[in-house]
Amino acid sequence: MLNVSTGSMIPVRRVFLSLLVLAGPTMAQGKNAPPPREEEITPPPAVTVPYDDKLARLAEVLGSVHYLRTLCKAAGGDEWRNGMQQLLDSETGNEPQRREKLTAAFNRGYRAFASVYTDCTAAAIVAEERYRNEGATLATEITSRFGN
């Protein structure tokens, strides 16, 4: 046993020595113990609804139409992007995975035409009209089949 006289020590040293003596057994136990595991955080399961595929296609169409209408300087070009934002707000709420999926579909539609059309041509105008019609059909199908 160690014989230490604490009478001549200054108070800080006494406190330090006391803590060291008390912590000794605890520190010895920790050497062989495995490190504590961090809790694994699992994201909530992805929510899927029966019309997600059609909704993703609608988002892709909205991205395509947004690009083409902006390219051709058509009136109301931003209304398609705003429509997509409303769709995201109403459909995905607090479901980040669905939100990411729909946003990716919108961006995919936008980029698909951005890689093909750099000028507003007759073909771009025809494509925009066809995509608008497809979007209207999809919106009608989704609301008539799955709407309240």
Side-chain angles (χ1 to χ4, degrees):
M1 177 102 175
L2 182 63
N3 187 8
V4 178
S5 170
T6 59
S8 64
M9 289 186 189
I10 58 175
V12 173
R13 287 186 184 165
R14 282 187 209 161
V15 171
F16 179 73
L17 181 61
S18 299
L19 289 174
L20 188 59
V21 169
L22 292 173
T26 305
M27 291 171 61
Q29 290 174 358
K31 288 181 182 177
N32 295 332
R37 286 186 170 181
E38 292 183 22
E39 259 186 56
E40 291 183 26
I41 300 173
T42 57
V47 177
T48 56
V49 293
Y51 55 91
D52 264 353
D53 291 337
K54 288 190 180 288
L55 209 55
R57 179 60 187 156
L58 178 61
E60 196 171 338
V61 167
L62 288 172
S64 299
V65 172
H66 174 64
Y67 176 77
L68 292 168
R69 290 188 65 87
T70 303
L71 179 68
C72 292
K73 296 177 180 44
D78 276 347
E79 76 182 58
W80 300 95
R81 187 183 178 291
N82 295 339
M84 181 62 195
Q85 186 62 53
Q86 289 174 350
L87 178 70
L88 288 173
D89 294 342
S90 66
E91 280 296 322
T92 61
N94 57 357
E95 301 165 352
Q97 292 169 335
R98 283 185 74 216
R99 186 178 203 80
E100 287 174 16
K101 181 181 175 183
L102 293 177
T103 301
F106 180 88
N107 291 337
R108 188 172 45 252
Y110 186 95
R111 285 189 207 113
F113 280 96
S115 66
V116 175
Y117 294 103
T118 56
D119 294 318
C120 184
T121 62
I125 294 168
V126 169
E128 184 271 333
E129 183 180 346
R130 287 182 180 163
Y131 270 69
R132 247 185 321 119
N133 290 335
E134 182 184 352
T137 301
L138 282 167
T140 302
E141 286 177 5
I142 293 169
T143 55
S144 66
R145 184 164 180 205
F146 301 103
N148 291 334

